Amino acid sequence: MNNLIKHIFGFVFGSLCLVIDSVAQEQPNIIFVLADDMGYADLSCYGNPVIETPFLDSIANIGVRATNFVLASPTCSPSRAALLTGRYPSRYNIPAPLGPGSDLGLPATELTIASILKRGGYKTKMIGKWHLGDKKGFLPMEHGFDDYFGLLYSHDYRSPYVQTDTTIKLYRNDTPVTREPADSSLTTLYHQEAINYLHDQKTGEPFFLYLAYNMPHLPVFYAAHTSDYRDGNGGELGAVIAEMDAGLRTIWNALEKQGLAENTIFIFTSDNGPWSEYPNRMADDGVTQRNHAGYSGVFRGSKASTYEGGVRVPFILYWPQHVSSKVLKQVVSAVDLLPTLAQWANAPIPEALVLDGQPIGELFTTDVAKINHRPIYYEHNGSPQAVRVDDWKLRRVTEGGKRIEELFNLAEDPAERVNVIKDYPAQYKRLSVFLDGFPNVH
């Protein structure tokens, strides 16, 4: 009888474990890759005629390539904060890039994609550039990440680029492990860290890996020992991007080796447009040149501008057996990522959490080409400078003490060459209501 009871218990327990494992399997792994200062036209699959990105091209070919993905801000700290929280950066006072020792940062009370997924049963790992505060209360492991390896801000926060007494350090969790790491080593180190992490992952234990490059933010560097990148097209910028692309292939290969690729969502995008209008201080190293910065393509503007070139960036998403090859032209925003990934992961979002984004998953997993989207805002220096409603965009800035308003129909004029504010008074009035009512008007 005792043996019979043991067998029954063993059968029931084993079956329960299989059920639990099956439920866990339904939660997809997520790899979210963020480039730094990569422009819309810096990848071959987005029209660059010389830079070669065979891996990302192959993923874009079998997945979804978005041509109208926009960010909440054209500079890194506010843009990254919005990507991770699904909320505009003025809600938590991150108006601009945060320097070392800043008293500003992403408050620990803000929920991120990592913290939402962690509550939903995910393991979470961040590798790379954080840039959301370097003081206690602002750090990665206080925002839902189990582990962290990377730099707390950009690699140019040093002489001759920035006059500061800060020493750049590579961190593991909350502890500095390398002082003044070579810029040329960063991408290689990040790739190896990602591969090591994937080697430890198992089926049935969903994970979220956030890989945030320091490149191709200026100054651009790549692995000096690897001649393959120098011999390719696109100059120094092309070499940096080629190294990233090749590393992502090795990461995907590691994922396949672990048998995890079929249940993994892969996302690639950038934190803002290219720094093609960088200040003269960046050239003080005697090495950085104008062609080291990226390309906005057809779009007007670049990093630090709320024209499309500053906020419209590449966005590639692949999820085996869930998405098919598609070019997504509907405008969507970075603040949509948190609610979308939480929905796909079956990770509950607290009812009290006010999100500015909305779930857009059906645009990727179905044949739906267009949904009703809330107004989309572009913030800069702590306030909204532009609002998008479908193809209409109203931009309002103050320059030299003068208020400038511009209305564009991006379906007819994606390069924002013609201000049609006098020709469409009804559209101007409609978008003005949204811009004046930010952030409470949807």
Side-chain angles (χ1 to χ4, degrees):
M1 181 64 70
N2 288 337
N3 287 336
L4 178 60
I5 292 174
K6 289 180 180 178
H7 284 302
I8 293 173
F9 177 78
F11 174 77
V12 172
F13 180 75
S15 299
L16 181 60
C17 288
L18 287 174
V19 170
I20 292 173
D21 186 63
S22 176
V23 171
Q25 287 281 355
E26 293 177 1
Q27 291 181 287
N29 307 309
I30 301 169
I31 297 179
F32 177 31
V33 182
L34 186 68
D36 194 339
D37 287 8
M38 178 175 282
Y40 182 89
D42 285 348
L43 302 179
S44 176
C45 54
Y46 277 84
N48 194 287
V50 292
I51 295 177
E52 298 169 355
T53 49
F55 173 73
L56 287 172
D57 292 355
S58 68
I59 293 295
N61 188 51
I62 58 178
V64 179
R65 178 172 62 89
T67 61
N68 213 343
F69 177 82
V70 298
L71 302 159
S73 173
T75 58
C76 48
S77 293
S79 169
R80 289 163 185 263
L83 275 165
L84 288 176
T85 64
R87 289 158 51 84
Y88 289 112
S90 58
R91 290 193 181 274
Y92 33 82
N93 193 26
I94 298 184
L98 303 176
S102 173
D103 290 330
L104 300 180
L106 188 64
T109 53
E110 285 292 322
L111 295 179
T112 66
I113 294 173
S115 53
I116 293 291
L117 293 178
K118 187 173 181 178
R119 292 180 176 194
Y122 277 69
K123 294 185 292 183
T124 57
K125 169 85 170 182
M126 181 181 174
I127 301 170
K129 174 181 167 180
W130 175 239
H131 214 165
L132 294 175
D134 63 356
K135 291 185 175 181
K136 185 173 176 56
F138 304 144
L139 301 173
M141 295 184 67
E142 296 171 281
H143 287 91
F145 291 102
D146 298 325
D147 304 287
Y148 172 65
F149 178 76
L151 301 187
L152 292 177
Y153 33 78
S154 300
H155 59 291
D156 66 325
Y157 279 107
R158 68 179 197 276
S159 179
Y161 311 105
V162 177
Q163 299 306 313
T164 176
D165 57 4
T166 297
T167 300
I168 292 179
K169 306 178 187 69
L170 193 62
Y171 279 76
R172 183 168 296 282
N173 297 335
D174 295 330
T175 305
V177 292
T178 304
R179 292 172 59 89
E180 300 181 6
D183 293 341
S184 59
S185 72
L186 292 176
T187 299
T188 300
L189 289 171
Y190 292 168
H191 288 157
Q192 190 57 55
E193 183 75 12
I195 291 169
N196 292 343
Y197 180 72
L198 292 176
H199 283 165
D200 293 334
Q201 303 313 304
K202 300 176 182 178
T203 301
E205 299 177 359
F207 66 84
F208 171 59
L209 172 59
Y210 173 38
L211 170 58
Y213 288 109
N214 281 79
M215 303 294 166
H217 188 296
L218 300 174
V220 292
F221 283 93
Y222 50 92
H225 64 277
T226 308
S227 61
D228 293 347
Y229 309 130
R230 295 195 300 274
D231 295 339
N233 293 324
E236 300 295 312
L237 174 65
V240 168
I241 294 175
E243 182 183 23
M244 293 165 58
D245 184 79
L248 290 173
R249 181 180 294 280
T250 64
I251 289 172
W252 189 260
N253 290 344
L255 195 69
E256 291 182 324
K257 187 175 181 180
Q258 292 296 106
L260 300 172
E262 290 301 305
N263 193 37
T264 297
I265 298 169
F266 176 89
I267 296 172
F268 180 91
T269 189
S270 176
D271 68 338
N272 48 247
W275 205 8
S276 50
E277 300 300 324
Y278 64 84
N280 290 334
R281 64 179 173 82
M282 293 305 298
D284 289 347
D285 61 356
V287 176
T288 298
Q289 300 178 16
R290 290 291 164 184
N291 65 334
H292 291 182
Y295 303 90
S296 301
V298 68
F299 302 113
R300 179 179 180 179
S302 57
K303 178 178 178 177
S305 164
T306 48
Y307 288 117
E308 291 296 289
V311 294
R312 197 185 300 205
V313 293
F315 184 89
I316 300 168
L317 186 148
Y318 177 53
W319 187 6
Q321 302 179 44
H322 290 80
V323 304
S324 56
S325 179
K326 180 178 183 179
V327 176
L328 178 62
K329 297 184 178 182
Q330 154 108 31
V331 60
V332 293
S333 172
V335 293
D336 298 328
L337 290 180
L338 185 149
T340 301
L341 292 177
Q343 186 179 73
W344 283 343
N346 196 27
I349 297 174
E351 291 184 6
L353 180 61
V354 177
L355 292 178
D356 293 309
Q358 66 188 76
I360 57 171
E362 63 182 311
L363 289 171
F364 297 92
T365 59
T366 73
D367 293 332
V368 171
K370 186 174 179 59
I371 62 173
N372 290 325
H373 201 289
R374 296 174 178 178
I376 293 173
Y377 296 92
Y378 305 163
E379 288 191 17
H380 188 41
N381 293 329
S383 62
Q385 284 193 355
V387 61
R388 281 278 308 269
V389 180
D390 296 325
D391 292 320
W392 290 96
K393 175 180 176 181
L394 176 64
R395 183 173 181 268
R396 181 189 296 161
V397 298
T398 300
E399 296 179 356
K402 182 180 179 181
R403 177 162 138 161
I404 299 172
E405 290 188 302
E406 298 169 299
L407 180 69
F408 301 106
N409 181 340
L410 297 176
E412 297 180 358
D413 180 22
E416 297 172 290
R417 293 173 292 184
V418 181
N419 181 3
V420 295
I421 198 166
K422 294 181 179 179
D423 300 322
Y424 295 92
Q427 290 291 355
Y428 167 67
K429 182 177 180 180
R430 181 170 75 107
L431 268 65
S432 292
V433 170
F434 290 125
L435 196 53
D436 292 339
F438 176 87
N440 298 314
V441 178
H442 291 307

